[in-house]
Structure formats: C-alpha cells, structure tokens
Amino acid sequence: MRLIIMAPPGGGKGTQASELCDRYEIPQVETGKILRKAVKEQSELGRRAEKYMNSGELVPDQVMVEIIRSRLRKPDCENGFVLDGFPRTIPQAEALEELFEEEDIELDAVIYLNVPEQIIYQRLGRRRVCPECGSTYHLDANPPEVESICDNCGSDIVQRDDDRKDAIKKRLQEYRNKTKPLLEFYKSRGLLNEIDGDQSIDEVTSAIKEALD
Ligand code: ADP
Ligand code: AMP
C-alpha cells in the first residue's frame, strides 16, 4: 500500500497516518518529524531548516526532495509507506512522480482530510507532542492517560514551537498558496479521496477505511 495523506496543518494527518501504518504494517514517512529530529541534533540539514520551520514557512523543495529520495529507497519502504507531510508543493509532487517512475512503483491513493480553518486553530492550540518519541495528543480530543505524561514513553509532553498563533497563520497561508493546488493535481490523476476531517478521530479512521476498501 503506497499512500499520501494530505490535510491542512493540524488536520489530523499524523493521527490517521499512524493508524494506517499499524493496520498495513508499513512505515510512516513524516517529513516534519525528520526535520524536527535534524533540528534537535543541529545537523547541517537541521540548521538549514530551522528558520523556515519556526516562522511557519515551507523548507525549500530541493532539500525536501533529497530527503524523500533517500528515505523511500530504504528497505523498510519496499512493501509500502504512508507519506505524511510530503508532497506539499507541485514541484515536490512532480519530483515524487519521477522517483516512482524510476523505481517502477505506483501510488495507490491520496487521502485528503478536509478540515475548515477555524477548527485548525482549536486543534493546534491544544496539540501536545512528546519530544522523545513523537507521539501526538490533544488536550480535549485525545489526552494522555496521566496528565502531561506521554503514554508511550513516559516523557513530559510539550507544545510545538510552531503551534503559536503567528506561525499557524503563516503555515495556513503556505498551505493555501502552495499545497492546496495539489488537490487538483491528484484529482486529475484519479487518485484523490476526499474525507470529512471534521469528525471524531474514530469516525475519520472509519471513513478512511471505507474509502480504501
Ligand atoms: P497534522 O499531522 O495534520 O498536523 P495531527 O494529527 O497532529 O495533525 O492533529 C492535530 C491535533 O488535532 C492533535 O492534537 C490531534 O490529537 C488532534 N486531532 C487529530 N484528529 C482529530 C479529530 N478528528 N478530532 C479532534 N482532534 C483531532
Ligand atoms: P508538519 O510536522 O508536517 O506540520 O511540518 C512542520 C514544518 O516542517 C512545516 O511547517 C515546514 O516548515 C516543514 N516541512 C515539513 N514537510 C515539508 C515539506 N514537504 N515541504 C516543505 N516544508 C516541510
């Protein structure tokens, strides 16, 4: 199963991608997570990406395409993957098509979670993440069992640096201008499956399951 999951920032990509990856036993390729790890380690990639991420801008296409090329060539992606956060621009989607052609593989579907912008502010303002294992929580919709502690690894959960109001505004602008055109791109290829993302987490999971079945 080779899938792309698309949504506005905070639309539930990571939450649903993680479910899909458990179900199909395939890796979740999450570009935001790869970049945050690089920033934490202050690698060359991390130092380069940090300023874009903190302000809510997209990291340049060339950098992102290189990351994806090397990640998708790893052996764990041989039986499939869920792309979460990539592609985010038309040039990224075109580069991905080229890579698939080179590797002689095909995309099965693009899942698009449609979530209105006013909901996004509520989701991101109340999102908490584990800085150690990357698990995601929501203080109301999906809280950890013990307050402020990650269920998975026991670390203290925190708010992401780019979940501030000013960065959210910029991220939504980037989404509208650069990512939304991908909906037409994938629709014209007959791959787009639109799901109402403004439902409970379990309802969205069921709707995705139904669309894929
Ligand atoms: P993305 O990966 O698209 O940025 P996340 O999966 O991190 O989005 O979800 C953003 C926030 O919204 C998280 O706090 C998550 O727990 C919460 N969330 C995800 N899906 C839903 C939903 N269907 N209803 C309510 N909250 C949700
Ligand atoms: P995310 O965790 O998906 O919300 O991504 C966090 C941030 O990482 C984004 O706001 C961008 O700055 C950067 N990023 C992640 N994926 C991409 C991508 N495919 N293209 C450009 N920037 C990206």
Side-chain angles (χ1 to χ4, degrees), residues 7-16 30 84 123-124 126-128 136-139 141-142 160 171 197-202 204:
K13 295 182 292 295
T15 303
Q16 298 299 333
E30 186 185 348
D84 164 7
R123 294 238 183 126
L124 292 182
R126 305 282 284 165
R127 171 160 71 182
R128 296 294 180 270
T136 298
Y137 300 90
H138 186 278
L139 295 180
N142 181 26
R160 256 170 61 171
R171 285 157 70 201
D198 186 12
Q199 314 178 68
S200 73
I201 294 176
D202 289 347
V204 177

Side-chain angles (χ1 to χ4, degrees), residues 147-211:
E147 200 183 322
S148 307
I149 303 292
C150 176
D151 294 346
N152 192 38
C153 73
S155 304
D156 286 340
I157 56 174
V158 298
Q159 187 161 32
R160 256 170 61 171
D161 284 344
D162 59 352
D163 280 348
R164 304 177 320 266
K165 230 177 177 177
D166 57 332
I168 296 174
K169 199 169 163 208
K170 182 68 196 166
R171 285 157 70 201
L172 281 169
Q173 247 173 33
E174 291 278 73
Y175 175 75
R176 253 181 257 127
N177 297 334
K178 299 181 183 164
T179 310
K180 257 193 148 173
L182 290 179
L183 299 178
E184 264 316 307
F185 181 94
Y186 286 117
K187 198 172 176 186
S188 69
R189 285 154 176 77
L191 289 166
L192 194 75
N193 292 267
E194 181 170 341
I195 307 281
D196 175 9
D198 186 12
Q199 314 178 68
S200 73
I201 294 176
D202 289 347
E203 283 166 338
V204 177
T205 305
S206 304
I208 295 175
K209 206 186 245 173
E210 209 171 292

Side-chain angles (χ1 to χ4, degrees), residues 23-209:
R23 180 160 10 121
Y24 296 114
E25 298 182 355
I26 49 179
Q28 178 177 353
V29 176
E30 186 185 348
T31 43
K33 188 172 178 182
I34 295 171
L35 292 169
R36 279 187 291 280
K37 182 166 178 274
V39 170
K40 200 170 168 194
E41 290 166 353
Q42 282 293 294
S43 64
E44 198 189 322
L45 166 67
R47 288 198 304 273
R48 205 165 158 203
E50 193 170 16
K51 63 174 190 297
Y52 297 102
M53 296 174 77
N54 284 341
S55 65
E57 280 174 71
L58 292 182
V59 173
D61 288 337
Q62 212 187 344
V63 176
M64 297 314 301
V65 169
E66 276 318 304
I67 292 176
I68 284 296
R69 286 184 87 85
S70 61
R71 180 64 189 91
L72 294 189
R73 286 189 167 137
K74 294 216 165 120
D76 65 329
C77 289
E78 260 170 27
N79 294 324
F81 44 79
V82 177
L83 284 176
D84 164 7
F86 187 98
R88 259 173 150 115
T89 65
I90 296 279
Q92 290 182 16
E94 287 170 346
L96 188 66
E97 275 192 341
E98 262 173 46
L99 178 66
F100 285 173
E101 262 170 44
E102 278 166 35
E103 301 289 316
D104 203 17
I105 56 178
E106 279 188 18
L107 191 60
D108 291 296
V110 176
I111 304 288
Y112 163 52
L113 309 178
N114 190 354
V115 181
E117 285 198 7
Q118 66 271 25
I119 304 288
I120 295 303
Y121 280 94
Q122 297 165 18
R123 294 238 183 126
L124 292 182
R126 305 282 284 165
R127 171 160 71 182
R128 296 294 180 270
V129 295
C130 174
E132 293 308 319
C133 72
S135 297
T136 298
Y137 300 90
H138 186 278
L139 295 180
D140 313 307
N142 181 26
E145 275 170 29
V146 179
E147 200 183 322
S148 307
I149 303 292
C150 176
D151 294 346
N152 192 38
C153 73
S155 304
D156 286 340
I157 56 174
V158 298
Q159 187 161 32
R160 256 170 61 171
D161 284 344
D162 59 352
D163 280 348
R164 304 177 320 266
K165 230 177 177 177
D166 57 332
I168 296 174
K169 199 169 163 208
K170 182 68 196 166
R171 285 157 70 201
L172 281 169
Q173 247 173 33
E174 291 278 73
Y175 175 75
R176 253 181 257 127
N177 297 334
K178 299 181 183 164
T179 310
K180 257 193 148 173
L182 290 179
L183 299 178
E184 264 316 307
F185 181 94
Y186 286 117
K187 198 172 176 186
S188 69
R189 285 154 176 77
L191 289 166
L192 194 75
N193 292 267
E194 181 170 341
I195 307 281
D196 175 9
D198 186 12
Q199 314 178 68
S200 73
I201 294 176
D202 289 347
E203 283 166 338
V204 177
T205 305
S206 304
I208 295 175
K209 206 186 245 173

